[in-house]
Amino acid sequence: MTALTLSTSGAATLRADALVVGVAKDAGSKTGTLVVAPGAEAVDKAFDGGLAAVLETLGASGAEGEVTKLPAPSDVKAPVVIAVGLGPVPAKGDTYDAEALRRAAGSAARALKGSKKAGFALPTESAEGAGAVVEGALLGAYAFTAYQGGEDRLAPKGAKSGKDTKLPLGEVVLLGGKPRDKAFKAAAERAVAVAEEMNRARDLINTPPNDLYPESFAAVATAAGKEHGIKVQVLDEKALVKGGFGGLLGVGQGSTHGPRLVRLSYTHPKAEKTLALVGKGITYDSGGISLKPAGHNETMKCDMSGAAAVFAAVVSASRLGLRVNVTGWLALAENMPSGNATRPGDVLRMYSGKTVEVLNTDAEGRLVLADALTRASEEKPDAIVDVATLTGAMVLALGNRTFGVMANDDAFRTSVHEIAEEVGEASWPMPLPADLRKGMDSPTADIANMGERMGGGLVAGLFLQEFVGEGIAWAHLDIAGPAFHEGAPYGYTPKGGTGSAVRTLVRLAERTAAGDLG
């Protein structure tokens, strides 16, 4: 894990492998002149005030996330200066946007892979800015290397095979971060906790399904609970049968790895509100009997991203000591085809007592979530938020970087959407049209797990709403698009698992602790 140091050293005097500075584009200039951002004054001075001119000569534009490397002058102790673009210069009186700082720090950290230590002299006029730089740098430095660089038994002794794996940036030194200022220190500590837990969620998402299955995921949660003072209860197959959790059992019965329902409970002695978080945890989704075609199942290890986000959020709440009770529910199952698997046409009796006709076994996430939502509702929390890589329809609607937000309360949906935007997670409020409910009518059971094809993401939300307790504010986050990134890394977003929704859930818990649930 990349370490963090808050330093009072000057940017030019810090001994490190590289020094990161920010540059921006002056929107008010007709020529688009580069501007050196606050924090880099000493470095600019070492270039005789010509750092921006040198960068322009090298083709730098100041565009957000753009990285330009150049040798440092003799007055700078670090041998390399990395200039990262921040986008347009803020309007007079404004500061740099937190998300722009987060992405810039992430881009720089990715460029520093293999380095031991780097100083970050980006704009940190506010505690929020300092926290954004720390968060972005730690998230950008992330790398999943657990399965790389192994020894080849047929190679000469001591030789390595596979990729030449470079380690992530070893240490981030935040310059200008006022380490003795309580607000700055708190912002940095918060950023470290959230980034580390978000990276742990990424690790879980990236872990191959032969190593991460319901039982092993539950073991990870149990170990984290002991470490962070979180109560953990794991319901195995026998307990699920005894409790009547037909959704979880129906989805998981085709696999040799049985399902689990994991309850994580963080409590604060002075808490006045309780927030319940429910995560879809399909550790591998083959589609079941409704088998996915080739080309659609290679990344289905990521179908537990919702559970990973919930797990990370509960641990973050504990590490931050938030004055709120947070309960996490991980609905874990592996969806596989076999002679024991649920068939299209089967009817499951859910934990709520409601019966569901399964028309498509690849619409399994809503089945495990339904059981967990009902169970979570029994404890009468002030609000429930579920997170799931639920539908391809949501990806078609919103693309790969934006998640949908649905809710049974318009004000709560608005609050969750605004919180997501505040922390830098793109989201969009979506409706739950009542007319789509009729498409799930079943002649055999109380409801079918499929409805109209058009608006499929909204149909899934309407299905889940049926299992939320009366009078409880509920929101559903469909993160199918942004949960797993298959393209080239950008900003602080890596290839693979992203940890989508973790920051939204943590900020929601913070708002709830402050009495501002929405």
Side-chain angles (χ1 to χ4, degrees):
M1 185 65 70
T2 302
L4 172 71
T5 301
L6 302 182
S7 176
T8 56
S9 297
T13 59
L14 179 74
R15 294 188 181 277
D17 297 315
L19 190 62
V20 178
V21 299
V23 292
K25 185 175 182 179
D26 187 353
S29 171
K30 294 181 180 179
T31 59
T33 304
L34 280 183
V35 175
V36 177
E41 293 85 355
V43 181
D44 188 35
K45 183 178 179 181
F47 278 91
D48 295 324
L51 175 57
V54 172
L55 289 168
E56 281 191 293
T57 301
L58 294 174
S61 67
E64 190 175 292
E66 178 187 71
V67 174
T68 306
K69 295 183 179 181
L70 66 164
S74 59
D75 290 345
V76 176
K77 297 298 183 184
V80 176
V81 171
I82 293 183
V84 61
L86 294 167
V89 174
K92 189 175 181 179
D94 292 342
T95 57
Y96 283 90
D97 177 71
E99 180 62 5
L101 292 173
R102 201 177 284 119
R103 290 180 179 176
S107 295
R110 284 193 298 104
L112 286 161
K113 187 175 183 180
S115 300
K116 292 182 179 180
K117 179 179 178 180
F120 282 69
L122 294 171
T124 54
E125 297 98 328
S126 66
E128 180 189 18
V133 171
V134 172
E135 190 171 87
L138 296 183
L139 292 175
Y142 172 81
F144 185 67
T145 60
Y147 294 82
Q148 296 177 355
E151 291 187 8
D152 187 341
R153 293 181 181 178
L154 299 180
K157 188 174 182 180
K160 295 286 184 178
S161 65
K163 296 182 179 180
D164 181 17
T165 304
K166 287 185 179 180
L167 295 175
L169 172 61
E171 181 183 359
V172 169
V173 180
L174 182 67
L175 300 168
K178 303 177 185 178
R180 296 183 181 85
D181 185 290
K182 289 184 179 180
F184 276 79
K185 186 178 180 181
E189 289 176 348
R190 178 195 182 278
V192 169
V194 174
E196 287 183 350
E197 294 312 318
M198 193 166 162
N199 283 339
R200 177 162 25 190
R202 290 170 168 181
D203 280 347
L204 288 167
I205 297 164
N206 290 326
T207 298
N210 57 320
D211 282 343
L212 188 76
Y213 41 89
E215 185 180 2
S216 61
F217 195 156
V220 170
T222 299
K226 292 179 180 179
E227 180 183 356
H228 296 288
I230 297 168
K231 292 183 179 179
V232 181
Q233 178 187 15
V234 179
L235 299 185
D236 61 12
E237 291 160 280
K238 290 183 179 179
L240 293 172
V241 170
K242 184 177 180 180
F245 290 87
L248 275 157
L249 290 165
V251 173
Q253 69 188 41
S255 173
T256 56
H257 296 297
R260 298 289 188 273
L261 179 61
V262 180
R263 179 183 184 273
L264 304 164
S265 177
Y266 160 71
T267 59
H268 191 284
K270 296 183 179 180
E272 297 179 358
K273 298 285 186 178
T274 297
L275 182 64
L277 308 176
V278 178
K280 173 187 173 183
I282 304 299
T283 56
Y284 182 75
D285 182 19
S286 70
I289 297 297
S290 305
L291 191 68
K292 293 179 185 291
H296 290 76
N297 48 21
E298 288 80 1
T299 61
M300 282 298 102
K301 65 181 181 180
C302 78
D303 213 18
M304 38 59 68
S305 296
V310 166
F311 168 59
V314 176
V315 176
S316 294
S318 177
R319 290 183 61 173
L320 297 172
L322 300 184
R323 192 171 175 171
V324 59
N325 297 328
V326 183
T327 304
W329 300 87
L330 313 183
L332 309 177
E334 187 176 64
N335 187 26
M336 296 290 285
S338 75
N340 294 324
T342 293
R343 297 151 292 223
D346 282 356
V347 174
L348 304 178
R349 185 171 295 277
M350 311 297 282
Y351 179 71
S352 67
K354 196 184 294 284
T355 55
V356 176
E357 182 181 11
V358 179
L359 299 180
N360 187 327
T361 63
D362 197 22
E364 84 299 329
R366 64 199 69 183
L367 298 175
V368 300
L369 286 173
D371 275 355
L373 284 168
T374 302
R375 178 64 187 88
S377 296
E378 289 181 337
E379 299 186 359
K380 307 292 184 185
D382 294 284
I384 299 176
V385 178
D386 77 71
V387 188
T389 48
L390 206 60
T391 65
M394 197 57 56
V395 185
L396 290 173
L398 299 178
N400 291 317
R401 297 191 183 185
T402 303
F403 62 73
V405 183
M406 287 155 262
N408 61 1
D409 179 89
D410 288 347
F412 188 48
R413 180 186 63 190
T414 298
S415 291
V416 173
H417 167 59
E418 290 177 348
I419 285 169
E421 295 294 313
E422 177 189 335
V423 299
E425 296 198 300
S427 71
W428 197 252
M430 304 291 283
L432 289 174
D435 61 285
L436 290 177
R437 169 59 181 86
K438 186 171 179 58
M440 290 185 283
D441 286 347
S442 166
T444 307
D446 295 322
I447 189 173
N449 78 328
M450 292 292 287
E452 293 183 29
R453 181 169 176 266
M454 300 303 175
L458 312 182
V459 170
L462 286 164
F463 180 90
L464 296 178
Q465 186 175 225
E466 298 266 334
F467 297 88
V468 178
E470 187 176 351
I472 301 174
W474 158 78
H476 161 56
L477 312 186
D478 190 335
I479 62 171
F484 196 83
H485 179 57
E486 296 186 66
Y490 64 94
Y492 53 83
T493 301
K495 187 179 180 71
T498 65
S500 177
V502 172
R503 287 176 292 157
T504 297
L505 297 180
V506 174
R507 183 55 57 86
L508 179 63
E510 290 172 327
R511 289 281 188 88
T512 305
D516 184 22
L517 182 59

